[in-house]
Each structure stands twice: as structure tokens, then as C-alpha cells.
Amino acid sequence: MSEPERLRLLPWAGSDGRRCYLSTDADGSGYVARLADEVEAVQLAMGARLVERASEVLGASGRERRARPNELRCLAYGLVEALRDALRVAESRGGRGDRP
């Protein structure tokens, strides 16, 4: 008897901005599943680099250069996007019983 199919939340949105799901078997080892794993890894790595950058920018105070409003706005948008990606990855992995 084969394992039931599962729906996996993918780390990207459809053209209409809605969530995308992949119907997969229990092992989830197909091409699109592997591609999703790679995209998740890239998203998390980019988020980590953005957090490092934010620490650098926000650490500037006193005698050091102060961050400009445009720089802070851009940083905030990037951090929101990185957090959104990380939450989607966490939700997807939680639904699959994976550990980050």
C-alpha cells in the first residue's frame, strides 16, 4: 500500500500572489521538492546576511557614520521580506515534520 500524498507549502507565491502547494508522496524527493529545498536554503542564507547588515547599520552611532533614512527604509523592507520568507519556510517544514 502506498503512502498518501501530502501538500507541501512552497517557498514562493503564484503569479496571483497566492500560496503555492506541491502534492507530493511521503519521501518528497521529486524535482520540484528538491528545487523548493534549494530556494528555502537561499532565502534563509540571504536573511542571515541581511541580519548581519542590519547589525552593522544599526550599530553605527556617536562618532561613526549615522544611517540615512533611505538606508533604514531599504533595510526595513529587506528585513520584512526576509522574515516573511523565514516564516513560510518554518510553516512548510512544520507541516512536513521537518526540523530546520
Side-chain angles (χ1 to χ4, degrees), residues 16 18 21 35 41 54 60 68:
D16 57 359
R18 297 175 69 191
Y21 291 89
L35 178 62
R68 295 182 306 253

Side-chain angles (χ1 to χ4, degrees), residues 41-85:
V42 167
Q43 288 173 328
L44 293 175
M46 288 173 60
R49 284 194 300 270
L50 190 56
V51 168
E52 289 174 9
R53 175 68 180 136
S55 294
E56 293 170 3
V57 168
L58 297 175
S61 63
R63 288 175 258 161
E64 298 175 12
R65 180 185 68 84
R66 296 191 90 106
R68 295 182 306 253
N70 277 352
E71 188 175 21
L72 292 173
R73 189 175 305 111
C74 182
L75 184 62
Y77 283 124
L79 288 169
V80 166
E81 189 64 31
L83 179 57
R84 185 177 295 125
D85 290 343

